[in-house]
Amino acid sequence: LFRSQVAWTAPTGYSVDHYEITATEALMNTSATVSASASATSATLTPLKAATTYAVVVKACTDAACTRAGSAQAVSATTPGEYWQLQGSGN
C-alpha cells in the first residue's frame, strides 16, 4: 500500500477550523480521508492502492462538523506501480 503527501495554501477571507483531505478512486469509488489542523498546510493520505488514479480534494471546514466548507477543485494523481521480486534457493 502506498501513501501520498498532499500540500495546499491556506484560504484567505475566512477562519478555518480544520481541513479534510479525500482521495477517491474512480474505478471502485473507494476513498481515503485524513483530517488536518487549521494551521496545517500538508497531510499524508494512506493507505492507497498501487498504480491507481485518485481524485484528491482538500476541504477547508469552518466548523468542527464540517457542515460549512470551501473546497479546492479536485486534482488527479496516480500512485506508482508495485513490483515484486521473488528470491529462493533449492528446488
Side-chain angles (χ1 to χ4, degrees), residues 17-36:
D17 180 77
H18 69 284
Y19 295 95
E20 290 184 1
I21 305 91
T22 303
T24 304
E25 172 195 3
L27 184 61
M28 298 298 289
N29 200 32
T30 58
S31 62
T33 301
V34 66
S35 292

Side-chain angles (χ1 to χ4, degrees), residues 5-6 15 33 42 45 57 68 75-76:
Q5 183 76 21
V6 179
S15 179
T33 301
S42 67
L45 283 161
V57 175
R68 294 185 334 144
V75 295
S76 179

Side-chain angles (χ1 to χ4, degrees), residues 66-78:
C66 204
T67 56
R68 294 185 334 144
S71 65
Q73 195 170 40
V75 295
S76 179
T78 302

